[in-house]
Amino acid sequence: MTQSITIRRPDDWHLHLRDGDMLRAVLPHSARDFARAIIMPNLVPPVVTGAQAAAYRERIMAALPEGADFTPLMTLYLTEDTDPDDVARAHAEGLIHAVKLYPAGATTNSASGVSNFDKVAPVLDRMAEIGLPLCTHGEVTDSEIDIFDREAVFIDRVLDPIRRAHPNLRVIMEHITTADAADYVRSADSGLAATITTHHLVINRNHILAGGIRPHYYCLPVAKRETHRLALRVAATSGDARFFLGTDSAPHTDGAKLQPCGCAGCFTAPNTLSILAQVFEDDGALDNLEAFTSLNGPAFYGLPPNETRITMRREAPQHPSSIDTPDGPVTVFDPGFDLHWTS
Ligand SMILES: [Zn+2]
């Protein structure tokens, strides 16, 4: 039985670090295991200009623990007022690595997102020209579309038309949750990839709703039925270069989660690697763990893989069940099974 695995140091291609006290509380948990992360821009107010992204990067660097080796890869929040020149400048400076599309109202702090996609066409054209990827929160927000269908409908109504209108635009479907999305990614020869979260490999919608409601498993896009979870497992563990890790680790205090109308998000930064090693081992795919966590993402983003390595040992990890922050405790995602790998 394999007792240790050594892989290139992983990156997280979709991460929420928040700001202020919460940033200082959660950042060390990502910086411990990950060398780089794509930082989501949905602060209040959102990060929409190059200047705001530079200031946010400064705050992240200032919050890093002494001696940490972690590089935040910044993104801009796409709005109908985004200036293509500002985007191009921030990209040329090496400041931003993607622009994030949130359909208006799709998730936490997405009120400034896009309603009229024609209005962002000039930005998308410029991004295609300079090779800057678009990250998409792939859900429509129309109230008449069932929440479990919103990703599949997004592909037909929004994503496919965008890709046809901007054939050279590189696109990442973030945190995919359905077999439909995995199939759509596989249908493209190039320029399209997807991130998959840790928790969507572990939970289906029963985990949220059966036998009592479990707010800590509620995230967006919401977990779907078991067939979709299994399709995500196949995609993630296959080694296919079009799929890579984006944890979407999204901390909210218990006070904000445990409400009549609670927030969406799972906080997986502390135990993601232990869970993933377990998932890949259970699926007989430990050999493909490094591709998913450390190789496929940088290849799509046009960055070199990390030179440093980490070794995971077969040993029960000691992860906290929650972390304390000045705003209150934040519960760590519970995979619901024992973990046997320590990073
Ligand atoms: Zn997210």
Side-chain angles (χ1 to χ4, degrees), residues 14 16 40 175 248:
H14 183 128
H16 297 270
M40 287 297 123
H175 44 53
D248 198 14

Side-chain angles (χ1 to χ4, degrees), residues 14-16 18 40 42 100 102 107 137 174-175 197 220-221 247-250:
H14 183 128
L15 177 64
H16 297 270
R18 313 302 189 202
M40 287 297 123
N42 59 334
K100 178 69 187 270
Y102 290 98
T107 188
H137 181 108
E174 301 277 53
H175 44 53
T197 75
L220 287 174
T247 66
D248 198 14
S249 181

